[in-house]
Amino acid sequence: MVAERLIDELRCIPMQPGSAQKVLLMLEDPDVGVDALARVIETDPALSARILGLANSPFSGTTQSVSSASRAVVVVGLAVVRALAVSTAAGLFDARTKQLPDGFWDHAVAGAAAAAAMAKHLDVPRGDAFSAGLLHDLGEVLLKRHAPERYDAIIKTSGADTSWRRLKELNAFGGDHAEIGAVALASWQLPQGFVDGIRLHHTDPSTHDNPLAKCILAGEVIAESAD
């Protein structure tokens, strides 16, 4: 399949109806209020629990218990709320799905935590770094969902060699998982700098000036070294 056709399909991927999609639509308004967001988040117990859980985790840095969605939104920040809403609306948290590559969430969470730790060294907002780390391999999920058997074969034959896997993705789909993920996130109205960070996160950091991509790459290196 040529890249253009695959990209067209990705632009049409349906978001799951519900609160997460409403949150994403609300976040397109730069003047959206925290209370309005919280009211929508509270209608989805799963999304609310994820945001509250993160607000009460070491990531937030707060020493006080967070028990309301409105306070949790303030603590974690809109970038993280957006990333969790994207993950939910795209079905990535659905425990029933068989369309996630093996080890996807372990890698995503470890990379997100490491990227957040590196953020201050690269002048990147901590919430942006965590969010990008969480979503940086979204393209892998979309490719597996699109062609599960073909993508499983790519994973099996390339193993841990990311460069080889990206080349196989490019040959098979017309774009690697970083490009595919960026296209999907752009179609869901995420900020251009965030989209570019996802697209460039496997690129030699000396060839671009996107600090978020460098943060994701550093987070991946740290996460992999800790395995």
Side-chain angles (χ1 to χ4, degrees), residues 52-171:
L52 282 167
L54 195 56
N56 285 289
S57 73
F59 163 78
S60 71
T62 184
T63 58
Q64 298 180 335
S65 176
V66 178
S67 58
S68 70
S70 58
R71 176 59 181 158
V73 169
V74 172
V75 169
V76 303
L78 295 185
V80 173
V81 171
R82 188 192 299 269
L84 292 175
V86 166
S87 299
T88 302
L92 303 188
F93 284 118
D94 189 343
R96 298 166 298 176
T97 184
K98 303 298 183 183
Q99 297 176 320
L100 296 181
D102 291 342
F104 173 82
W105 273 120
D106 288 343
H107 177 72
V109 172
M118 289 298 300
K120 64 182 179 180
H121 302 292
L122 293 166
D123 198 25
V124 172
R126 196 159 177 262
D128 288 2
F130 181 90
S131 302
L134 196 66
L135 295 173
H136 73 280
D137 282 338
L138 173 64
E140 291 185 6
V141 178
L142 299 179
L143 288 172
K144 181 174 173 63
R145 184 177 298 172
H146 171 73
E149 293 183 1
R150 194 161 23 139
Y151 197 64
D152 284 345
I154 288 175
I155 295 294
K156 183 176 181 179
T157 57
S158 56
D161 190 334
T162 303
S163 296
W164 185 230
R165 172 156 48 91
R166 290 174 59 220
L167 179 60
K168 286 176 174 284
E169 291 169 346
L170 179 63
N171 290 336

Side-chain angles (χ1 to χ4, degrees), residues 7 10-13 28 181-190 195:
I7 287 171
L10 291 175
R11 293 185 190 282
C12 298
I13 287 175
E28 293 182 25
V183 169
L185 292 171
S187 72
W188 293 336
Q189 308 301 314
L190 269 75
V195 172

